[in-house]
Amino acid sequence: KHKTNLTMLSRFSRVARSLVTTVRTPNTVVRPSAAVSYFSTQELVLGKGRGKTSTGLTGLAVDYDAVPKMVVKYQALLDTMASSDMPETYHYRTVVEQMCRYRIKACLDFPEDPEMVEELCNCGQVEELVEQADDEMEVLQMILQNKWWEQIPQEDVVVEENPDPSQDAENVTWEEEPIDLKRKE
């Protein structure tokens, strides 16, 4: 009996270790506690929540802890932007901050309902949203490294509101007559 208990404890520790993933950002390491949500007393419904067996997308496995991972990863995006020298008025930053805050709020409001998080975010399955956070971190690192906000001209750009289309082809000579796509002879 003692040996059986040790075997069960060993299996539990392997499962618990495999559920705890490490999220690395440039300045922090965060370990979300996935084991707590793994052992739930809720009834399983096939195809929903913990009863989900497939994402239906090749190469994207079901992740039962996608919602807590989303919170960690989107918060990492916010923290990275906050600790950077990117201006708060830079359009990319404002849009990404709004998206991150909205998705974090959806996750915190419905931590046990990934389908509701998917519906609120309206950008795919929660597993895809986790990958989107990873992709956004790569884009953010690239923008921070290149300081693209400094390459935008500060002077006002003149926009012609009502251009005259008759002047678009002025002084253009055609070597061949333009092909009329409507007329096929």
Side-chain angles (χ1 to χ4, degrees):
K1 186 174 183 178
H2 180 68
K3 186 176 181 180
T4 305
N5 288 342
L6 287 177
T7 304
M8 292 300 289
L9 184 59
S10 175
R11 286 183 188 162
F12 172 78
S13 66
R14 275 194 307 248
V15 170
R17 268 193 309 242
S18 71
L19 293 173
V20 178
T21 59
T22 303
V23 177
R24 294 183 187 275
T25 60
N27 300 324
T28 60
V29 175
V30 181
R31 294 183 183 274
S33 177
V36 174
S37 63
Y38 183 76
F39 299 101
S40 177
T41 58
Q42 294 180 352
E43 182 180 324
L44 288 179
V45 178
L46 188 59
K48 292 190 171 221
R50 300 237 174 251
K52 184 177 181 179
T53 58
S54 172
T55 62
L57 301 170
T58 302
L60 186 61
V62 173
D63 184 356
Y64 298 115
D65 298 305
V67 174
K69 285 180 184 177
M70 283 176 60
V71 172
V72 171
K73 290 179 182 232
Y74 283 107
Q75 185 61 51
L77 281 166
L78 290 172
D79 294 344
T80 302
M81 284 187 285
S83 65
S84 72
D85 56 344
M86 182 187 294
E88 291 182 16
T89 57
Y90 186 49
H91 187 68
Y92 170 81
R93 178 175 178 162
T94 59
V95 170
V96 172
E97 283 179 344
Q98 288 173 353
M99 176 193 65
C100 289
R101 286 192 184 102
Y102 182 82
R103 290 182 179 181
I104 290 171
K105 183 175 181 340
C107 291
L108 295 177
D109 289 348
F110 300 98
E112 297 296 323
D113 190 358
E115 287 80 20
M116 182 58 79
V117 173
E118 292 170 357
E119 187 177 324
L120 289 171
C121 294
N122 196 25
C123 284
Q125 299 177 44
V126 288
E127 292 86 357
E128 291 176 287
L129 295 170
V130 169
E131 285 196 356
Q132 288 173 22
D134 292 336
D135 295 342
E136 198 64 58
M137 183 60 84
E138 286 182 35
V139 171
L140 177 60
Q141 294 300 329
M142 186 172 49
I143 289 174
L144 292 174
Q145 179 183 359
N146 294 314
K147 297 189 177 196
W148 285 345
W149 61 87
E150 293 176 353
Q151 298 176 18
I152 299 174
Q154 297 301 319
E155 65 273 357
D156 291 335
V157 176
V158 178
V159 177
E160 197 174 333
E161 295 294 328
N162 294 311
D164 184 3
S166 66
Q167 296 178 2
D168 285 348
E170 193 173 299
N171 300 326
V172 173
T173 57
W174 300 98
E175 292 183 22
E176 293 181 20
E177 196 65 29
I179 300 171
D180 187 1
L181 296 177
K182 294 179 185 174
R183 219 180 41 176
K184 292 185 179 180
E185 294 178 19

